[in-house]
Amino acid sequence: MSVWNPDNIRDVAESVGILNLNNDVTENLARDVEYRVAQVLEEALKCMRHCKRTVLTTQDIALALRNLDVEPLYGYDSTRPLKFGEASLGPGQPLFYVEDEEVDFEKLINAPLPKVPREVSFTAHWLAVEGVQPSIPQNPTAADSRNLELISKGPNANSTLAAISGTGDVAVKPLVKHVLSRELQLYFEKVCSAFLNETSEDYRTSGYSSLREDPGLHQLVPYFVQFIAEKVTHSLKNVFVLTQVMHMAEALVQNKSLYVDPYIASLVPSILTCLIGRQLGGPADLAESFALRDMAASLLSLIAKKYSHSSHMLKPRLVRSCLKTFLDPSKPFGAHYGAVIGLQSVGGSEVIRVLVIPNLHEYTKLLGDGLDDAARRPAAERVLGALVAVLGSLRSSQPFLTNGHTVTDDLRSRLVDKVGDIIASRIVEAGEVQLAHIILES
């Protein structure tokens, strides 16, 4: 026996032209309708509970029909609560209906027109072009960036700075939460401690090998880059730490499983600091500091060769930074040494020919003053050796055949006018006749 009235089934059947429907068929259809209605109501109640409501709405019924792959009912979707009225057709025959809202036409006519809605449109803009943020209205301005630098950080931060920057009592929550697994966190801690372990060389070697060869470290790349930047910033007096973080950067770049292209712009400043930094280590760490600069130069050469295709301005920026340091007489000879080998590593012999040789005659005066000073002489000797070495690289790029085997007085005077007396004397003493002609032809 079905709760659903079989007479309703007969009425629907007669409305579609089916007369004299069998009683068994009517009963079976009534039970099926009862089952389907109960199924829709159960799905609608689920939607209601998920919305944390206690009143069932027409939207819940429409969602239930959509979940059951049934065409929803049209004309009953309303966000406002419906009011049902009751009318009587006779004794025991109530009729329920949805009461219509009464509208005052005078208020409706005299009400001001609503604002014209904006047309739906979309636009696109460049957040950054080759690492440079274009100055357009959609991007933050320089003033906004300066305000962000004034944000107070930490529990004991200065509240005055936060008030100046206009960010006091403002909690900035990232849109996407970066979650690292416990295994990756443990790996990051172990690798960082391995690189900075001064007691065990095997431990450092295993950490370097793991970081250079292991796959699946993509999520840790920004954390390693940040770790390198922090250690370089706070350990400029510790050559050992600087050397180890350069090994870490080298392992990241050499790992074939990692996509490091987006992080090169953040990694290069740390390497440049170790290359052309003013003071690396203490006065007793002269040899170690120059070895660190050599390592940074080779790492920059690797980065320039590997990532210049993805960033066309990478090489020019590196060359510009090194050249600016080389032409600054206020910088120490250690920074000049790093600038010279950096120019050769990034740009090759062409950069030496175009940018270094025209400035050697003026630079020789500064170099002579350094060689005459006992305290600055060791570093000046390093710079002189680096200049002669990078000039020697011109032999492979510009083969030159000469019939002479000795340096004449005319050749020596021309060479002095070109590169200065100190470098010219070093080339003449080495008997580099071919190199002298190549320099004069440059």
Side-chain angles (χ1 to χ4, degrees):
M1 183 65 182
S2 173
V3 178
W4 195 267
N5 193 350
D7 293 338
N8 293 334
I9 305 298
R10 292 191 182 92
D11 293 341
V12 174
E14 291 175 0
S15 66
V16 296
I18 302 176
L19 304 176
N20 300 325
L21 193 63
N22 192 296
N23 292 333
D24 294 338
V25 175
T26 304
E27 290 290 341
N28 290 331
L29 285 177
R31 284 194 292 268
D32 186 68
V33 170
E34 179 185 352
Y35 169 75
R36 299 298 177 185
V37 171
Q39 188 179 14
V40 171
L41 288 176
E42 288 179 0
E43 288 291 330
L45 289 173
K46 291 180 182 178
C47 297
M48 180 192 72
R49 295 191 188 98
H50 281 296
C51 293
K52 301 186 184 304
R53 286 187 279 102
T54 57
V55 178
L56 193 68
T57 64
T58 56
Q59 290 181 345
D60 299 328
I61 301 296
L63 291 174
L65 293 174
R66 184 179 300 175
N67 293 338
L68 295 174
D69 200 16
V70 179
E71 185 177 3
L73 300 176
Y74 299 101
Y76 292 95
D77 191 10
S78 176
T79 57
R80 62 182 179 86
L82 299 178
K83 295 181 179 180
F84 296 95
E86 181 181 356
S88 178
L89 298 178
Q93 293 183 357
L95 176 65
F96 295 93
Y97 63 93
V98 178
E99 293 183 356
D100 294 330
E101 182 181 1
E102 295 183 1
V103 179
D104 189 350
F105 280 102
E106 290 187 2
K107 292 183 179 180
L108 184 63
I109 293 173
N110 297 328
L113 294 176
K115 293 182 179 180
V116 179
R118 298 179 60 182
E119 296 184 0
V120 178
S121 62
F122 66 93
T123 182
H125 74 277
W126 288 100
L127 179 63
V129 180
E130 294 184 355
V132 179
Q133 190 178 67
S135 195
I136 57 178
Q138 290 85 352
N139 289 334
T141 61
D144 297 335
S145 301
R146 287 194 295 270
N147 289 337
L148 289 177
E149 294 177 357
L150 295 176
I151 295 178
S152 57
K153 301 176 182 179
N156 299 322
N158 192 345
S159 58
T160 305
L161 294 180
I164 294 175
S165 62
T167 57
D169 299 330
V170 176
V172 180
K173 185 177 181 181
L175 297 179
V176 180
K177 186 177 181 180
H178 194 186
V179 180
L180 286 177
S181 64
R182 179 57 184 168
E183 291 77 10
L184 285 177
Q185 296 180 27
L186 185 61
Y187 177 85
F188 178 77
E189 295 174 0
K190 292 294 184 182
V191 169
C192 292
S193 62
F195 272 93
L196 301 181
N197 191 335
E198 300 185 22
T199 58
S200 177
E201 185 177 355
D202 295 336
Y203 194 24
R204 297 196 301 269
T205 304
S206 61
Y208 175 79
S209 177
S210 175
L211 190 57
R212 184 182 58 184
E213 299 174 358
D214 286 354
L217 304 179
H218 303 80
Q219 293 184 347
L220 291 177
V221 173
Y223 295 94
F224 281 122
V225 173
Q226 183 181 8
F227 177 80
I228 292 171
E230 290 179 354
K231 290 300 178 183
V232 170
T233 303
H234 300 96
S235 305
L236 290 177
K237 300 297 182 180
N238 194 333
V239 178
F240 173 79
V241 174
L242 296 177
T243 304
Q244 294 309 309
V245 294
M246 287 299 101
H247 281 303
M248 181 180 290
E250 182 184 14
L252 288 175
V253 173
Q254 290 183 347
N255 194 326
K256 298 179 180 180
S257 303
L258 298 181
Y259 183 64
V260 194
D261 296 55
Y263 306 100
I264 291 300
S266 302
L267 192 61
V268 164
S270 302
I271 303 174
L272 278 177
T273 302
C274 294
L275 176 68
I276 56 178
R278 178 178 291 272
Q279 183 66 38
L280 302 177
D285 302 327
L286 184 63
E288 290 81 359
S289 64
F290 280 100
L292 174 62
R293 297 182 193 273
D294 291 334
M295 179 187 299
S298 63
L299 184 54
L300 274 186
S301 175
L302 177 62
I303 290 176
K305 292 177 183 178
K306 191 173 182 179
Y307 300 102
S308 58
H309 65 282
S310 59
S311 179
H312 300 293
M313 294 299 295
L314 178 61
K315 280 188 176 181
R317 288 181 178 179
L318 294 176
V319 170
R320 191 182 303 115
S321 300
C322 293
L323 182 63
K324 182 179 178 181
T325 302
F326 177 65
L327 298 180
D328 189 355
S330 63
K331 295 294 181 65
F333 284 112
H336 290 169
Y337 174 85
V340 170
I341 61 176
L343 287 170
Q344 200 275 334
S345 300
V346 175
S349 57
E350 185 66 19
V351 170
I352 301 300
R353 184 180 64 84
V354 175
L355 299 179
V356 176
I357 292 179
N359 297 294
L360 285 181
H361 188 274
E362 293 295 329
Y363 184 78
T364 306
K365 301 176 182 178
L366 179 65
L367 191 60
D369 295 338
L371 292 174
D372 294 337
D373 189 352
R376 303 165 61 195
R377 183 179 180 84
E381 287 284 354
R382 294 269 189 169
V383 176
L384 178 59
L387 287 173
V388 174
V390 298
L391 291 175
S393 65
L394 297 175
R395 287 193 297 264
S396 59
S397 61
Q398 295 181 359
F400 185 89
L401 297 178
T402 179
N403 294 326
H405 298 282
T406 59
V407 179
T408 62
D409 294 337
D410 178 61
L411 181 63
R412 178 187 177 89
S413 62
R414 290 165 55 199
L415 190 61
V416 170
D417 294 336
K418 186 77 172 180
V419 298
D421 54 348
I422 298 176
I423 300 177
S425 300
R426 186 65 64 92
I427 295 175
V428 170
E429 291 174 2
E432 296 284 356
V433 181
Q434 180 182 0
L435 179 60
H437 282 283
I438 292 175
I439 293 174
L440 292 176
E441 292 293 332
S442 299

